[in-house]
Amino acid sequence: MARSYKEIMNDITTFIFDVDGVLTDGSVHITPTGEMLRTMNIRDGFAMKAAIESGYNVCIISGGSNEGVRTRLRNLGITDIYMATPNKVETFEEYCELYTISPESVLYMGDDIPDFHVMQLVGLPTCPQDSSPEIKAISTYISHRNGGKGAARDVIEQVMKVQGKWHLYYDGKHD
């Protein structure tokens, strides 16, 4: 019998997120100078920071490249940020090897075709509610939240609750 996503969450040590469509809603606002602006959810950021402070690995693997996004993620304490990644599987395998991470202990959240193959390698493939049908079809868990609207917070909070770590953030121990 297949394990439920809640059971798999007990084994998660690492969160990997795509950016566009996961940490953002996938929209790009283009300024007159050609700069592309994205919007990120503050609650997703809080959860990523909470995960890092609780000892989880948090990694970003994105095909896109934006220095503003990189700065935001670094300010949250994320050090493993792979942008303009042409081959997400190769980057994922190198990251796991670098930190001796078992793919079974990884939760990956993606939203579209570039995430498809890497999501097939992880212990818990997840996606936002508004992901492509192909990604939804291979996801063990589909968030009730859309990309850029709290989907990352949803999966981080659930893992931390299952593992008994989320309560540290509302009982005053991390003010």
Side-chain angles (χ1 to χ4, degrees):
M1 186 169 112
R3 294 180 350 152
S4 72
Y5 76 89
K6 288 281 190 182
E7 291 172 316
I8 297 168
M9 285 181 172
N10 278 309
D11 302 328
I12 299 303
T13 64
T14 303
F15 297 97
I16 300 179
F17 297 100
D18 178 33
V19 174
D20 292 321
V22 173
L23 298 180
T24 76
D25 68 4
S27 298
V28 177
H29 302 280
I30 303 171
T31 67
T33 62
E35 184 180 6
M36 294 188 285
L37 305 175
R38 292 161 174 86
T39 302
M40 299 178 89
N41 186 291
I42 201 78
R43 290 186 182 109
D44 285 345
F46 171 81
M48 289 187 286
K49 190 171 182 169
I52 292 166
E53 290 175 359
S54 295
Y56 294 93
N57 304 304
V58 177
C59 174
I60 305 300
I61 301 177
S62 177
S65 182
N66 181 285
E67 284 310 307
V69 169
R70 184 184 303 276
T71 299
R72 165 74 176 143
L73 296 169
R74 280 190 181 139
N75 288 341
L76 294 173
I78 300 171
T79 56
D80 296 296
I81 304 168
Y82 302 92
M83 306 288 278
T85 304
N87 185 333
K88 290 186 177 191
V89 168
E90 185 177 291
T91 301
F92 168 75
E93 289 172 343
E94 289 172 4
Y95 173 75
C96 288
E97 185 176 328
L98 178 65
Y99 292 104
T100 319
I101 296 169
S102 164
E104 293 79 29
S105 68
V106 175
L107 179 154
Y108 185 103
M109 181 171 266
D111 72 304
D112 210 347
I113 301 303
D115 302 302
F116 187 88
H117 294 294
V118 70
M119 288 177 70
Q120 293 180 309
L121 302 176
V122 303
L124 186 54
T126 66
C127 69
Q129 177 61 42
D130 58 344
S131 297
S132 73
E134 296 87 353
I135 295 302
K136 285 181 164 183
I138 63 166
S139 292
T140 302
Y141 175 74
I142 300 171
S143 176
H144 64 284
R145 301 265 187 198
N146 286 343
K149 304 293 183 189
R153 163 73 176 254
D154 174 35
V155 294
I156 292 171
E157 185 175 334
Q158 284 197 59
V159 167
M160 290 180 71
K161 282 181 176 177
V162 163
Q163 295 184 12
K165 297 179 180 178
W166 185 254
H167 69 90
L168 299 174
Y169 288 87
Y170 60 81
D171 69 4
K173 293 190 175 141
H174 278 83
D175 286 341

